[in-house]
Amino acid sequence: MSRPTIAGVARAAGVSVASVSRVLNGLPATEEMVERVQRAVQELGYVPDARARSLKVGRTFQLTLAVADVGNPVYVTMMRAVEEVVSAAGYRLVVTTTGPDVVDEVALVRGMARGYADGLLISPIRVDEDLVKSIRECEVPVVVAGNVPAKAGVDTVRANSPKGMLLAVEHLVSEGRTRIAFLNGPSDTVPGAARSKGFTEALKAHDLQPAALAEATDFTFAAGRATAPELLGAEFDAVICANDLLAVGLMHELAARGLRVPEDVAVVGMDDSELAEQCFPTLTSVNLGSAERGRRAAELLLARIEDTERTPRRIVVQPSLSIRRSTP
């Protein structure tokens, strides 16, 4: 049986080939025409030839999302939001991992010149001058889900980590917890630096000093549990962690040492990922809007593809606090 063609769809719908093309490419058309073409497509089982379409319009209709760790729940949430937006616009989404090294981030951006995608949405965990330069010179549109200097001349969507940290500290203080420790990830990363700064500022706002500070080697469960003992020699009644994975790692170590959450130690995470609902006790966590950041970043990338001369936008997504059983 021969493969259905666009001409066959046109005959079945009783419209011209040009009309079918308009509907399939999402161009303006009457509701009646759209309905007739879509009905014919379904009846015939027509599948557009993506290769021919790419050659004709000079696009791959493929976009790349690059994150540091696809296993991190916060990136999974972001990926789902991005995919929903771009698939509705007719694009496929390819997800790749850069890892923690900025050299690999730079290599990925420069590799976009190979033409396998029409645009890049990247969430860099580390940023240096080489990365900024590669983004500025990239041959396809780039949107950053994170924070890069304005001189990069690129659309960005970032979280307000300092405000999120303030929400966490205010909640703990309102519950009578004033000896607050902080478990961070690497401070030379974008999230690590932002959350460290936010923690310091939030304590100052309440005339408090850190009860203890520790820095994990990564933003993972294993790193959180391995680093937790560095805090345990200090006197504290609460710990804020730079993300949910670190927080759950900490809670495991606290439990292993006979400390109860939240009776002995209240714990707050950041990201408000699915993990916060799945652990026990459930984790109070700062929601940094990962889904919203993904959605807004995807919309900016699609807009940039359509108009490369647009003035870059810098969007900040505001946080909220999800209170659960790990705090009083």
Side-chain angles (χ1 to χ4, degrees):
M1 184 176 180
S2 62
R3 178 180 176 178
T5 65
I6 192 170
V9 172
R11 286 194 297 271
V15 300
S16 68
V17 170
S19 295
V20 174
S21 180
R22 288 184 65 82
V23 172
L24 295 180
N25 285 293
L27 298 175
T30 65
E31 291 185 11
E32 180 188 2
M33 183 183 296
V34 171
E35 182 180 347
R36 290 165 67 178
V37 170
Q38 289 178 342
R39 187 187 307 117
V41 166
Q42 293 174 0
E43 291 175 351
L44 296 177
Y46 173 74
V47 178
D49 188 332
R51 292 171 300 176
R53 185 185 182 203
S54 297
L55 289 172
K56 182 177 180 181
V57 300
R59 293 184 184 178
T60 65
F61 289 92
Q62 186 162 280
L63 302 174
T64 297
L65 170 64
V67 297
D69 177 11
V70 293
N72 189 321
V74 71
Y75 291 130
V76 174
T77 299
M78 181 179 292
M79 175 192 68
R80 289 171 179 161
V82 172
E83 199 278 333
E84 182 178 351
V85 172
V86 303
S87 64
Y91 286 85
R92 296 179 299 275
L93 183 67
V94 175
V95 181
T96 186
T97 300
T98 62
D101 197 330
V102 71
V103 173
D104 293 325
E105 294 172 343
V106 171
L108 183 139
V109 175
R110 291 176 177 168
M112 298 301 294
R114 297 171 188 163
Y116 59 83
D118 298 327
L120 170 65
L121 199 167
I122 184 170
S123 183
I125 196 166
R126 287 181 169 87
V127 175
D128 66 6
E129 287 296 324
D130 282 345
L131 181 61
V132 172
K133 183 174 184 290
S134 64
I135 289 173
R136 193 167 53 239
E137 298 175 351
C138 188
E139 296 190 17
V140 301
V142 179
V143 171
V144 174
N147 197 16
V148 294
K151 66 181 180 181
V154 64
D155 295 298
T156 62
V157 181
R158 66 177 178 85
N160 189 340
S161 290
K163 183 176 179 181
M165 194 63 72
L166 182 60
L167 292 176
V169 169
E170 287 178 342
H171 168 61
L172 291 172
V173 170
S174 71
E175 297 292 340
R177 309 285 179 136
T178 56
R179 302 190 308 276
I180 305 172
F182 180 44
L183 175 55
N184 197 10
S187 60
D188 65 339
T189 62
V190 173
R195 292 167 199 185
S196 177
K197 181 174 183 289
F199 179 74
T200 300
E201 292 175 346
L203 287 191
K204 284 183 178 179
H206 289 273
D207 295 321
L208 298 174
Q209 293 295 322
L213 299 171
E215 183 175 316
T217 58
D218 206 346
F219 292 94
T220 62
F221 167 87
R225 182 156 191 183
T227 309
E230 296 181 21
L231 296 173
L232 297 180
E235 292 188 7
F236 56 86
D237 55 19
V239 184
I240 299 175
C241 300
N243 76 350
D244 292 345
L245 287 166
L246 291 173
V248 175
L250 168 71
M251 288 199 296
H252 274 248
E253 188 62 21
L254 292 174
R257 296 179 182 239
L259 294 170
R260 300 166 301 164
V261 176
E263 291 84 355
D264 299 318
V265 181
V267 179
V268 179
M270 296 194 83
D271 286 335
D272 199 21
S273 63
E274 291 181 350
L275 184 62
E277 286 277 13
Q278 295 166 350
C279 65
F280 183 83
T282 54
L283 178 65
T284 293
S285 186
V286 177
N287 189 324
L288 293 171
S290 55
E292 177 69 3
R293 283 183 282 142
R295 183 183 68 80
R296 299 292 295 274
E299 291 171 348
L300 286 179
L301 184 56
L302 293 174
R304 175 64 56 187
I305 289 171
E306 295 302 321
D307 181 6
T308 59
E309 301 302 317
R310 292 173 64 253
T311 300
R313 295 189 60 192
R314 296 174 67 84
I315 296 173
V316 180
V317 174
Q318 300 303 323
S320 60
L321 183 66
S322 298
I323 299 173
R324 300 188 180 89
R325 298 186 65 184
S326 68
T327 57

